[in-house]
Amino acid sequence: MAAVYLICDLSGSMAENGKTFVVRNLIRTVDQVARLRNTRNEMKLVLWSNLVEMFDWTLGDDVPQSLMQCKPSELSGAALKESLSVTPEDFLMLFTDGYWSDDVRKALGILEGMLIKGHFRIVKIGEDAESRVKGPSVFSAEDLLAALDGWAE
């Protein structure tokens, strides 16, 4: 059985403009879609800043209160890479505004390379999301259902 990692960027830039509220609602949408699909995948909720906090998450559970608490720090690519023990069959979805250091870009590239093509998705949060983050696996928050289409089924 594959694991589904829902990774939430909680760096300082995500504290602006209600982005954490948007992420919480997107997580709830993923939850609803997964329940409608009757998914059997193991769900993991990952809160990521300079540290990583991981929760085994059961569909229907509320999101942890710590999701609403961004850290005034930069993301740590090394912390994320070390915390996730992904297999090629797993799925990763990253909710972020896309403001990353080179260290983070490299770590995300390594994680994506470990997965089967199409198993990694980025959902950009906010009107001010980094415009240089683009590609076939990148979606806006408004296009979450398109990102979920054919993913982790």
Side-chain angles (χ1 to χ4, degrees), residues 113-124:
M114 295 168 65
L115 300 172
I116 295 171
K117 185 176 171 110
H119 283 212
F120 182 73
R121 299 275 199 269
I122 296 172
V123 179
K124 293 187 345 182

Side-chain angles (χ1 to χ4, degrees), residues 63-107:
V63 296
Q65 198 56 28
S66 51
L67 173 67
M68 307 308 289
Q69 300 163 358
C70 292
K71 315 288 187 291
S73 61
E74 290 189 16
L75 297 170
S76 169
L80 183 65
K81 206 171 57 179
E82 291 168 11
S83 297
L84 302 181
S85 52
V86 299
T87 65
E89 296 79 25
D90 291 340
F91 295 87
L92 272 68
M93 182 171 282
L94 171 61
F95 300 95
T96 182
D97 58 8
Y99 291 103
W100 308 320
S101 65
D102 290 338
D103 163 62
V104 169
R105 286 184 210 290
K106 185 186 292 185

Side-chain angles (χ1 to χ4, degrees), residues 6 24 27-32 35 43 45 55-65 67:
L6 303 175
R24 183 184 65 190
I27 297 289
R28 301 300 326 150
T29 301
V30 171
D31 171 76
Q32 290 172 345
R35 284 191 282 158
M43 305 293 286
L45 189 59
F55 299 88
D56 289 327
W57 189 58
T58 303
L59 295 176
D61 285 356
D62 202 3
V63 296
Q65 198 56 28
L67 173 67

Side-chain angles (χ1 to χ4, degrees), residues 13-14 16-19 22 96-99 123-132 139-143:
S13 63
M14 290 292 289
E16 304 165 353
N17 303 321
K19 291 177 186 175
V22 172
T96 182
D97 58 8
Y99 291 103
V123 179
K124 293 187 345 182
I125 309 299
E127 288 297 314
D128 62 341
E130 175 60 70
S131 61
R132 292 177 291 177
F139 299 83
S140 67
E142 294 81 10
D143 293 327

